[in-house]
Amino acid sequence: MLITIEGIDGCGKSSLHEALAGRLRDLSPVMTREPGATWIGDQVRRAIAEQVDPIAEALLFVADHAAHLREVVRPALADGRLLISDRYIDSRFAYQEVSLSGFLPDPPGWLSAVHNGWTIIPDLTFLLVLPVETALARTQKRGAAEHFEKTEVLTKVQNNYLNRARAEPGRFVIIDGALAPETILNFVESKIRKRAGK
Ligand code: TYD
């Protein structure tokens, strides 16, 4: 079973992901992420830092996704494992629809086409939503900002996420990211256990 956690920068998804590893230890979940901990992931981070051409950046995110599927996701699913990914395909549709706007005639159509036929859609996606200003205040505490971390960009990114969630209500669970971390953790843990039948 493939579970993903999504949301804008500073929404709290990485802390939730980390806490779930402890809470769900008895299920031996494969804890994974995009961009990945591989050399392709390193190039993605470099592309973000150097603000390369948005099409080049998008293709690197897609390359990272392809490697992630081959090296981590497919083998784990074949073994019947539970996977929990911090960011996955919806990050591309939410962020690259914004970064590619003005560079391609139809960013969502292009993103669909580039993933079509080989990606694996998650079984369940938790989307953490919170006011953009609150999220940005959290990221600013961490230091250097990535080029995505601007009010205008993240507002559009969050709207894209919400539109995707509305289009696929059976897959998405929307969570109020302003709730106490413990409350969110308890809720997500119980949803995953229910879905996994454990
Ligand atoms: P990440 O390392 O997850 O950063 P954070 O821990 O701050 O969430 O992701 C780095 C940035 O890359 C983040 O701003 C979101 C962006 N991103 C995309 O634009 N597209 C993608 O497909 C992915 C996976 C991430």
Side-chain angles (χ1 to χ4, degrees):
M1 188 167 74
L2 173 60
I3 290 174
T4 60
I5 305 176
E6 296 277 2
I8 57 173
D9 300 79
C11 70
K13 64 183 176 42
S14 300
S15 314
L16 171 65
H17 186 255
E18 219 174 287
L20 281 171
R23 282 291 182 92
L24 296 170
R25 199 169 291 130
D26 57 307
L27 305 182
S28 309
V30 176
M31 304 304 291
T32 183
R33 56 166 302 154
E34 288 186 11
T38 63
W39 68 265
I40 302 180
D42 292 341
Q43 299 317 305
V44 172
R45 281 180 271 272
R46 181 171 167 185
I48 299 170
E50 294 183 14
Q51 299 202 31
V52 298
D53 175 81
I55 299 173
E57 182 185 72
L59 287 169
L60 282 168
F61 278 118
V62 175
D64 179 64
H65 183 61
H68 187 210
L69 281 172
R70 175 178 289 237
E71 287 157 28
V72 181
V73 179
R74 284 184 201 285
L77 291 177
D79 283 347
R81 303 279 299 273
L82 166 68
L83 276 119
I84 307 179
S85 188
D86 177 355
R87 294 198 182 283
Y88 189 77
I89 191 167
D90 298 297
S91 283
R92 231 104 52 237
F93 284 88
Y95 282 80
Q96 270 61 61
E97 186 173 331
V98 180
S99 61
L100 291 171
S101 142
F103 291 87
L104 289 174
D106 173 20
W110 186 85
L111 287 164
S112 290
V114 87
H115 287 89
N116 194 20
W118 58 272
T119 192
I120 295 174
I121 302 299
D123 297 289
L124 194 59
T125 298
F126 294 99
L127 173 61
L128 293 171
V129 176
L130 85 173
V132 171
E133 294 303 339
T134 313
L136 271 177
R138 290 186 189 170
T139 64
Q140 274 150 14
K141 279 194 206 139
R142 288 186 218 153
E146 283 157 356
H147 68 87
F148 300 111
E149 298 178 359
K150 294 189 193 105
T151 308
E152 193 192 303
V153 174
L154 291 186
T155 303
K156 288 183 189 158
V157 170
Q158 185 150 272
N159 281 335
N160 290 340
Y161 269 130
L162 286 168
N163 286 336
R164 287 182 71 73
R166 279 186 209 112
E168 285 183 75
R171 170 161 75 89
F172 278 90
V173 178
I174 298 178
I175 295 176
D176 177 358
L179 292 170
E182 184 75 8
T183 309
I184 296 177
L185 179 59
N186 290 341
F187 174 77
V188 171
E189 180 192 358
S190 78
K191 278 267 177 202
I192 295 176
R193 287 193 185 277
K194 200 182 266 173
R195 190 67 175 247
K198 290 166 184 166

